[in-house]
Amino acid sequence: MPEWLNGAVSKTVSGGFVARGFESLPLRCLAYDGSVTGQRVPGGVVHKLPADLREALVANATALEAWKDITPLARNEFICWVEDAKKEATRERRIRRTREELEDGMRRPCCWPGCSHRERNGR
């Protein structure tokens, strides 16, 4: 146990720790089903992450890991590319391609001139 915690916590019978004075509080354990729906998924610089793109990323661990690894500007490019679709079918295809391109290690959407919504200074 770290030195700075001495006196603030006590060891429980099960081997865990509890803050002093809170030993008698009833605790309830919740089962974890493995879902990541409550997980924070970052958006872009100008654009917020749309729900359908977030859902596709959360459903694929490889794509999600790649998404978290790219820069906010790169995420912004993918989001703007998806948001720029005029037809629902195009949007769905771009979401699928975003997932596939992230899985393949691409860090920007292929053949996209860039987000026209951000200023030249990167904001």
Side-chain angles (χ1 to χ4, degrees):
M1 175 181 349
E3 224 176 274
W4 58 272
L5 280 178
N6 283 343
V9 296
S10 60
K11 198 163 190 164
T12 64
V13 177
S14 64
F17 294 92
V18 65
R20 291 216 193 274
F22 293 93
E23 294 89 354
S24 64
L25 285 178
L27 298 177
R28 185 175 58 154
C29 293
L30 301 175
Y32 175 63
D33 65 359
S35 72
V36 289
T37 54
Q39 192 175 98
R40 185 180 178 284
V41 182
V45 175
V46 176
H47 300 285
K48 292 185 188 227
L49 183 65
D52 51 355
L53 179 55
R54 181 188 187 285
E55 197 174 295
L57 292 169
V58 168
N60 185 302
T62 304
L64 181 60
E65 190 63 33
W67 181 263
K68 289 180 175 181
D69 187 52
I70 62 177
T71 67
L73 284 175
R75 289 192 296 266
N76 195 72
E77 298 298 318
F78 277 111
I79 295 168
C80 187
W81 182 54
V82 167
E83 294 275 311
D84 194 56
K86 290 168 184 55
K87 295 180 180 177
E88 188 59 33
T90 304
R91 182 182 179 93
E92 290 170 6
R93 184 176 64 247
R94 287 182 181 179
I95 289 173
R96 179 184 47 79
R97 279 193 50 202
T98 295
R99 191 187 69 238
E100 290 170 356
E101 290 178 10
L102 287 167
E103 286 175 337
D104 292 343
M106 294 180 67
R107 301 180 72 80
R108 302 273 180 166
C110 177
C111 311
W112 173 246
C115 177
S116 61
H117 303 101
R118 68 181 177 90
E119 298 172 14
R120 284 275 181 232
N121 64 7
R123 296 190 209 306

